[in-house]
Amino acid sequence: MSDLAARLSAIDSQIADAARTAGRDAADITRIVVTKFHPASLVRELHALGVRDVGENRQQELEAKRAELQSDSSRDEPALEGLRWHFIGQAQTNKAASIRRNADAVHSVDRIKLADSLHRAVGDAHQDVLDVLVQVNLTDDLGRGGVAPDDAQRLAEHILALPSLRLRGIMGVAPLDEAPASAFARLRGVADGIRSLDASATWISAGMTGDFAEAIAAGATHLRIGSAITGPRPDRG
């Protein structure tokens, strides 16, 4: 077994254990492998190991990797069937067209202006409807990405009025100065409010390498896990 396969298997075993402890079915939890700073070739390796959901934080990297893999597929490499790209980083409105064109789901919609920009970009995209999540800021730092919990429903209502966007749920990151279980419990409360607007908005994107067990216990449906699977990020300098 390769190192990559071993790390993937170890994380999947830990996810299964955490789900069992929480009385949940691991099959209901989507593991997103975050490939930030890694080459497109790693995405191909992950796909060969059965990974179907990958995440990117930066618009430029998402666009470049997807283009490279599509170029490979047009030559001598097989197409990566069933691969889904999740954009999980902070998004600029002037990059909305590229994000929409290259992502299958955007987890980081945190303001009306961004939702509107993604909606207007439908003509440049490869899909008629884009899956989106409301990102919730679980910290007291207004400069962090995410909408304030009290404003999440208002943003969700706005998204529901945009026909080219499909509200899937919410996303959040546990603060460093708070126990993850407490933070994810608050996120779950916001998620319940969003589901009161649309019963199909069931996704809770929460949990990374250090806190995914607590996220699973709080009902997370999508986990975002990077270097614990991919290994250390390559030297960029």
Side-chain angles (χ1 to χ4, degrees), residues 117-130:
S117 295
L118 290 169
H119 171 60
R120 287 194 298 268
V122 64
D124 298 323
H126 69 279
Q127 80 282 76
D128 293 329
V129 178
L130 175 68

Side-chain angles (χ1 to χ4, degrees), residues 1-68:
M1 183 183 293
S2 70
D3 290 345
L4 180 62
R7 290 191 296 266
L8 181 65
S9 178
I11 288 294
D12 283 348
S13 293
Q14 292 173 44
I15 291 171
D17 289 344
R20 192 177 306 111
T21 299
R24 299 182 58 196
D25 185 346
D28 295 332
I29 300 169
T30 299
R31 175 252 299 124
I32 300 169
V33 181
V34 182
T35 55
K36 180 180 179 181
F37 297 145
H38 288 275
S41 58
L42 181 71
V43 176
R44 187 171 289 282
E45 291 179 52
L46 288 164
H47 186 271
L49 293 171
V51 171
R52 293 296 178 268
D53 293 271
V54 296
E56 287 294 336
N57 293 70
R58 300 167 68 245
Q59 167 268 327
Q60 300 95 324
E61 198 168 350
L62 168 65
E63 183 174 18
K65 284 180 185 173
R66 189 151 191 172
E68 180 178 338

Side-chain angles (χ1 to χ4, degrees), residues 28 87 98 151 164 172 196 204 216 223:
D28 295 332
F87 184 78
S98 173
D151 294 328
S164 80
S196 73
I204 301 177
I216 289 171
L223 313 175

Side-chain angles (χ1 to χ4, degrees), residues 52-207:
R52 293 296 178 268
D53 293 271
V54 296
E56 287 294 336
N57 293 70
R58 300 167 68 245
Q59 167 268 327
Q60 300 95 324
E61 198 168 350
L62 168 65
E63 183 174 18
K65 284 180 185 173
R66 189 151 191 172
E68 180 178 338
L69 291 168
Q70 287 173 340
S71 177
D72 289 346
S73 297
S74 68
R75 298 197 302 271
D76 54 354
E77 294 283 356
L80 302 185
E81 298 294 340
L83 187 67
R84 293 176 293 270
W85 295 85
H86 299 256
F87 184 78
I88 60 177
Q90 295 309 296
Q92 297 175 292
T93 55
N94 64 345
K95 303 296 185 181
S98 173
I99 292 169
R100 170 139 205 173
R101 191 165 53 246
N102 291 288
D104 298 296
V106 177
H107 291 228
S108 49
V109 178
D110 60 358
R111 57 200 187 278
I112 287 174
K113 186 176 179 181
L114 176 58
D116 287 343
S117 295
L118 290 169
H119 171 60
R120 287 194 298 268
V122 64
D124 298 323
H126 69 279
Q127 80 282 76
D128 293 329
V129 178
L130 175 68
D131 290 336
V132 299
L133 293 86
V134 170
Q135 181 179 357
V136 178
N137 184 358
L138 296 174
T139 76
D140 295 326
D141 182 357
L142 299 181
R144 296 288 297 271
V147 65
D150 289 344
D151 294 328
Q153 287 198 34
R154 184 170 68 92
L155 177 55
E157 289 172 344
H158 186 83
I159 291 170
L160 288 168
L162 300 175
S164 80
L165 303 183
R166 177 166 48 217
L167 180 64
R168 283 296 199 177
I170 64 169
M171 185 264 264
V173 179
L176 296 176
D177 58 353
E178 180 181 357
S182 172
F184 292 142
R186 291 192 290 115
L187 187 67
R188 177 61 183 265
V190 179
D192 291 343
I194 298 298
R195 278 199 299 274
S196 73
L197 301 175
D198 183 351
S200 67
T202 59
W203 292 16
I204 301 177
S205 172

